[in-house]
Amino acid sequence: FSPSAATSIAAITMAHEAIVLYRQLMRAAKGFSNYNFREYALRHVRDDFRQAAALRGEEAERAMAKGREELVSLRRMAAVSQLYPQEKHAME
């Protein structure tokens, strides 16, 4: 393998991991029972990924690590949200 091939393989792997993380975060954000929390979480995930799209190298690694931490946090918050369901919002 040449150095450029190894770099492109690493970039493809990173892109795949980012897509998987994005899907996991979106799925976790949809777990909120409250409309406002759910929409806020979905918007937050989309906005963070749009901002991180141009990152490369070490900055991208840090953004992925932050995303994984956010995933754990989102899953925990969504689980708590399911424990205390609220009435349907007018927008639902």
Side-chain angles (χ1 to χ4, degrees):
F1 285 112
S2 66
S4 63
T7 303
S8 66
I9 291 172
I12 291 170
T13 302
M14 178 67 92
H16 177 70
E17 288 178 16
I19 291 168
V20 169
L21 181 61
Y22 178 78
R23 288 180 180 160
Q24 289 175 333
L25 283 164
M26 293 297 280
R27 193 172 300 123
K30 290 177 183 176
F32 284 95
S33 62
N34 183 288
Y35 172 82
N36 288 325
F37 290 138
R38 184 173 53 249
E39 290 302 313
Y40 172 80
L42 290 168
R43 188 171 51 250
H44 185 71
V45 169
R46 281 188 214 106
D47 291 347
D48 281 355
F49 268 82
R50 283 185 187 127
Q51 288 177 351
L55 298 179
R56 300 286 181 256
E58 192 173 311
E59 289 179 339
E61 285 290 334
R62 280 195 297 266
M64 288 290 289
K66 181 183 176 218
R68 289 184 201 102
E69 292 171 9
E70 290 289 325
L71 177 60
V72 171
S73 178
L74 255 174
R75 285 179 174 164
R76 188 175 334 120
M77 288 187 288
V80 170
S81 171
Q82 295 296 323
L83 293 174
Y84 303 101
Q86 299 177 351
E87 294 179 19
K88 293 284 185 187
H89 189 272
M91 296 297 290
E92 292 184 289

